[in-house]
Amino acid sequence: MQWTDRIRQTKILLVVAAVLIAVASLVASNLLTRDLYEEEHKKMEIWAEAMRTLNVNDDNGGLNLVLKVIEDNTTIPVVVLDEKGEVQLSRNTKVKATAEADSTTLITELGKRMKAAGRSIRILYDDDNPKEYIDVCYDDSLMLKRLAVYPYVQLGVVLLFVVIAIFALLTSKRAEQNKVWVGLSKETAHQLGTPISSLMAWSEILKEQYPEDPLLGEMEKDVLRLQLIADRFSKIGSLPEPVPSNMNDVLTRVAEYMSRRVSNKVHIQKVFPPEPVIVPLNASLFEWVIENLCKNAVDAMEGSGRITLFLAEEMGLVVVEVSDTGKGIRKKDLKNVFRPGFTTKQRGWGLGLSLAKRIVEEYHHGRIFVKASEVGRGTTFRIELKR
């Protein structure tokens, strides 16, 4: 629980830090962009004044200074239009002529778009004659455009960092949980090994002394059952090689085992195809999955009802469904049924379904999910495996 709380707190801190960084970046970038825009506007006013001086000044010494001011503009796109809308001069405009329009036409259209956007400065040749003028049309420099886009790129990078960090935390959490699962399972199998061996030895001794006692056969079955459970626990964490198995037989063994351990009020119904369904399986682990589903069904029915084991082949998949007539699962709990630790039982650990999901998905590369559930009517779990 403490680990979960730390993960949640860390995720919240990461998200808050990302938001603060993004907001600070956007504010700083907008301030800087505004300052740069005002600076470029001032430069264009000076450039426009130089253009006016160039057109009215006959002093060669003054013209040299004017020409230097004009030529120093190497970043801001500028198009100078006369009163007729014709191009007089252009700088830093990159246009590519096409078959439909030459470069002069494209530059003229560019200048008109700048003017329509309010990005122009009108210069009169003579203050007394407002009909003779030029419009110095300009656009943002490449640097200003990049600076305007930069904060959004930075925001994307920050969000990507947060996503990767959260994914790494969740992966670390899952890896730690897996280590706990594997260690606990193998230790359980190891601890069971010694008493099971002793029970098997005592069983053999008792059979020699009481060969006719019918109870010894039942005791031997229970010992073999314990041995099977220990074998299942020992396989958790490893990748047991699946072998072709008859799914009909696997489900039949589970049905027979459950029938001997539930009351007569619980009926187990088998709906199988007549021909064998062969699937690559680790049979003992898969039986464990079906047993878990059946035990949960018995608990949900409170000792009275019907469990249906359904087997079929559908579009290249082998489908197994376990249905019950129990109390069903509430809609708000459906997304949590496979989460470790989640249970609606007073004495449950909430591990059976999460272990079943792991066995189906990791060891058999299949799917397990709740196909349908209705409160008061029952639940159907569906398993899909590739043939």
Side-chain angles (χ1 to χ4, degrees), residues 145-163:
K145 290 180 178 179
R146 288 176 177 174
L147 188 60
V149 175
Y150 169 73
Y152 300 100
V153 175
Q154 187 179 29
L155 178 61
V157 172
V158 171
L159 291 177
L160 180 62
F161 164 76
V162 172
V163 170

Side-chain angles (χ1 to χ4, degrees), residues 1-2 39 50 90 101 104 118-119 184 194 255 271 273 281 286-287 312 314 378:
M1 190 66 179
Q2 293 179 351
E39 186 68 23
S90 67
T104 302
R119 313 297 295 276
L184 179 62
T194 301
V271 182
L281 284 179
F286 195 81
E287 287 178 19
E314 299 177 2

Side-chain angles (χ1 to χ4, degrees), residues 57-270:
N57 200 334
D58 295 330
D59 183 7
N60 289 334
L63 289 179
N64 291 333
L65 179 59
V66 172
L67 290 172
K68 186 177 185 307
V69 171
I70 294 174
E71 290 174 357
D72 279 347
N73 174 32
T74 59
T75 59
I76 304 174
V78 179
V79 178
V80 179
L81 301 177
D82 61 15
E83 65 274 6
K84 297 179 181 179
E86 297 178 354
V87 177
Q88 299 297 309
L89 178 67
S90 67
R91 289 189 66 82
N92 308 318
T93 54
K94 295 181 180 180
V95 295
K96 188 175 182 180
T98 62
E100 292 79 13
D102 57 17
S103 58
T104 302
T105 302
L106 295 175
I107 292 174
T108 302
E109 293 176 355
L110 177 61
K112 290 179 178 179
R113 287 198 299 271
M114 294 175 181
K115 184 177 178 180
R119 313 297 295 276
S120 65
I121 300 174
R122 177 161 294 185
I123 303 298
L124 299 177
Y125 291 136
D126 187 352
D127 293 339
D128 297 330
N129 186 9
K131 294 184 178 180
E132 294 184 1
Y133 60 86
I134 57 172
D135 287 321
V136 179
C137 308
Y138 62 94
D139 198 2
D140 294 335
S141 65
L142 181 60
M143 181 183 297
L144 187 59
K145 290 180 178 179
R146 288 176 177 174
L147 188 60
V149 175
Y150 169 73
Y152 300 100
V153 175
Q154 187 179 29
L155 178 61
V157 172
V158 171
L159 291 177
L160 180 62
F161 164 76
V162 172
V163 170
I164 293 175
I166 293 175
F167 177 76
L169 286 171
L170 294 177
T171 303
S172 175
K173 175 188 174 185
R174 192 176 299 112
E176 185 171 333
Q177 288 177 339
N178 288 341
K179 288 181 181 178
V180 173
W181 277 95
V182 173
L184 179 62
S185 299
K186 292 188 177 297
E187 181 63 20
T188 302
H190 176 71
Q191 294 294 335
L192 286 173
T194 301
I196 289 174
S197 299
S198 298
L199 287 173
M200 293 178 69
W202 283 111
S203 177
E204 292 299 323
I205 293 174
L206 290 173
K207 281 196 295 185
E208 291 179 0
Q209 295 183 357
Y210 307 99
E212 303 298 329
D213 194 330
L215 296 178
L216 291 178
E218 294 300 319
M219 189 177 76
E220 186 176 10
K221 290 180 181 179
D222 288 334
V223 172
L224 292 175
R225 177 68 184 177
L226 285 173
Q227 190 175 25
L228 175 62
I229 293 172
D231 178 63
R232 289 173 176 174
F233 275 107
S234 68
K235 291 177 180 177
I236 298 297
S238 60
L239 290 176
E241 188 69 25
V243 297
S245 305
N246 187 345
M247 183 66 81
N248 307 58
D249 294 341
V250 171
L251 297 180
T252 299
R253 285 197 295 270
V254 175
E256 291 176 351
Y257 170 76
M258 293 300 300
S259 296
R260 294 194 299 268
R261 284 162 175 78
V262 296
S263 69
N264 294 331
K265 296 180 180 179
V266 175
H267 303 283
I268 299 179
Q269 180 181 6
K270 296 181 292 183

